Amino acid sequence: MSWSARIESALAARHAAGAFRSRQALSRPDARWLESAGQRWLNFAGNDYLGLSHHPAVISAWQQGAAAHGVGSTASSHVTGFNPAQAALEHALADWLGYPRALLFLSGFAANQAVITALMGKDDRVLADKLAHASLLEASALCPAQLRRFSHNSVASLAQRLQSPVSGETLIVTEGVFSMDGDSAPLADLHALSQQAGSWLLVDDAHGIGVLGEGGRGSCWQQGVRPELLIVTFGKAFGLSGAAILCSDAVADYLLQFARHLIYSTAMPPAQALALHRALQCVQQGDALRAQLHSNIAFFQQQLRQHGWTPPVSTTPIQPIIVGDNARTLALAARLRDRGYWVGAIRPPTVPPGTARLRITLSAAHTQADIRGLVEALSDAGE
Ligand SMILES: *Cc1c(COP(=O)(O)O)cnc(C)c1O
């Protein structure tokens, strides 16, 4: 098959499955509104759970940082790209989350790829939750170690996987809050099992950090667990982008030698590190925002019940409505858009076949009227 035939046939298959993806340019997205070409929608698709993406203090930290330090970091962190703003942010994150060290990355995707490819050798194995994020599963599939998946949130299934022998080390990989389902992993049980087996546990808490636990410290803090490796990302509740790996001194030093995504990539601009540091303070002082968010989640579920729907089991800002069929999911999302509500239509392969869904996300920035309107629209569109 020629290159063009191969690409045409892949695109045709996506179209035929109702799984073709395209993007729409949206101006000024914030936690509440999206705009495009003079139209606007209430945003129930983003991950700006606390509304920090437009926080004046964070914006001004970025602006002042750019004025003082320029817009770029000029090189990777091993060359000239590491600076006091990043060092201070790493210290603050480590302190806050109770780890010896934190290392900054440009994205959660890069952090996950880096840590897994740097750690895993050919005799090792990754045991990953079936629903773990693409960045975790892809890294696990591409690294030389073997990858086995365990049933979603099943301690028994993990225990069974752990029974088969391996000559090297085992890394157990899961998420604090699952990105497409909004449910939480049983971290205490997973970690106990991991420790028993002499394995390490990696928790990607992209959707728990800032939202759950005392002071927004996330899923692990909430469940009283300190995994060997914790990944936090800044594209969700922090409202910016970037990520950090929290770990021991030895692992941090190891990653500084072997994490290629850190060594061979231009470091985070200092202005972004300053803005992130300010966002971290907003998160730390964000109890009122979290209370608003959790009351919005409860209100959404109560509204669903009032309309005769069974709410999702999730108690987090991710509230999926499973539809099943791709075309129906797209049609529902389109009808909601016509009524002024933007929700994500998530289809395979992002989610398992037959579980296409509306991924509704809530933010502290939403009002009760926004949420009531969404559920009414959902109820009308569903009929
Ligand atoms: C969003 C997400 C990532 C990727 O993080 P980015 O910073 O957006 O690259 C990784 N893991 C999970 C669970 C996510 O939801």
Side-chain angles (χ1 to χ4, degrees):
M1 213 192 283
S2 70
W3 274 113
S4 42
R6 185 200 295 187
I7 285 165
E8 290 307 326
S9 97
L11 291 177
R14 274 283 160 98
H15 275 298
F20 188 77
R21 305 169 197 230
S22 57
R23 303 175 303 172
Q24 182 162 347
L26 294 164
S27 29
R28 213 189 160 276
D30 68 21
R32 196 163 164 236
W33 292 105
L34 297 171
E35 293 175 20
S36 175
Q39 258 186 299
R40 69 175 196 166
W41 298 267
L42 276 163
N43 179 5
F44 284 99
N47 303 310
D48 188 3
Y49 302 131
L50 301 179
L52 295 184
S53 70
H54 285 64
H55 193 291
V58 180
I59 293 173
S60 124
W62 197 317
Q63 288 169 332
Q64 287 174 18
H69 305 284
V71 291
S73 68
T74 74
S76 92
S77 58
H78 284 296
V79 183
T80 56
F82 194 58
N83 54 66
Q86 293 161 7
L89 176 59
E90 288 186 348
H91 276 294
L93 287 165
D95 248 22
W96 182 50
L97 295 170
Y99 280 80
R101 295 277 284 279
L103 291 180
L104 292 175
F105 284 79
L106 286 168
S107 73
F109 201 100
N112 285 339
Q113 301 274 310
V115 68
I116 290 173
T117 52
L119 285 175
M120 305 310 293
K122 74 172 173 25
D123 295 330
D124 303 329
R125 73 175 161 196
V126 178
L127 298 179
D129 187 287
K130 268 217 159 91
L131 297 187
H133 192 260
S135 56
L136 296 164
L137 291 179
E138 190 188 88
S140 306
L142 295 178
C143 77
Q146 59 164 301
L147 164 64
R148 292 280 178 278
R149 304 206 275 169
F150 59 92
S151 305
H152 179 52
N153 281 344
S154 168
V155 178
S157 168
L158 173 63
Q160 197 189 16
R161 291 272 182 266
L162 279 167
Q163 305 253 298
S164 39
V166 66
S167 56
E169 304 302 325
T170 298
L171 182 68
I172 296 165
V173 169
T174 191
E175 290 176 30
V177 172
F178 283 83
S179 59
M180 296 298 140
D181 293 83
D183 55 345
S184 294
L187 295 174
D189 291 343
L190 294 176
H191 197 221
L193 198 54
S194 167
Q195 285 183 311
Q196 249 173 48
S199 309
W200 275 8
L201 176 66
L202 180 157
V203 176
D204 174 349
D205 203 22
H207 297 276
I209 196 73
V211 170
L212 300 177
E214 187 199 354
R217 289 180 181 84
S219 306
C220 296
W221 195 278
Q222 184 188 41
Q223 298 190 42
V225 175
R226 218 183 64 136
E228 287 75 14
L229 297 157
L230 169 63
I231 316 294
V232 298
T233 72
F234 307 130
K236 277 98 188 196
F238 276 64
L240 288 96
S241 69
I245 298 180
L246 285 295
C247 57
S248 68
D249 280 312
V251 171
D253 287 340
Y254 179 90
L255 291 173
L256 287 173
Q257 317 308 310
F258 300 110
R260 294 192 300 280
H261 301 70
L262 195 149
I263 299 165
Y264 299 107
S265 190
T266 302
M268 175 184 289
Q272 184 180 345
L274 290 166
L276 276 169
H277 209 138
R278 192 65 188 86
L280 170 61
Q281 290 163 356
C282 294
V283 166
Q284 289 170 327
Q285 297 156 8
D287 284 347
L289 289 173
R290 278 182 287 278
Q292 182 63 52
L293 174 61
H294 290 288
S295 119
N296 283 352
I297 296 166
F299 185 72
F300 173 73
Q301 297 214 330
Q302 182 233 316
Q303 289 291 300
L304 282 181
R305 269 186 227 103
Q306 252 182 35
H307 284 82
W309 297 54
T310 308
V313 286
S314 159
T315 55
T316 68
I318 301 163
Q319 296 284 317
I321 309 279
I322 312 281
V323 179
D325 178 66
N326 286 359
R328 247 194 96 213
T329 307
L330 285 176
L332 264 172
R335 263 177 269 151
L336 287 173
R337 254 167 232 188
D338 290 344
R339 287 160 200 262
Y341 298 91
W342 193 286
V343 306
I346 310 288
R347 291 157 289 160
T350 304
V351 292
T355 70
R357 66 198 65 188
L358 301 176
R359 178 178 181 267
I360 293 171
T361 50
L362 296 169
S363 168
H366 292 128
T367 66
Q368 289 206 343
D370 297 344
I371 296 167
R372 194 179 300 116
L374 169 69
V375 176
E376 272 162 21
L378 197 58
S379 191
D380 293 345
E383 275 154 18

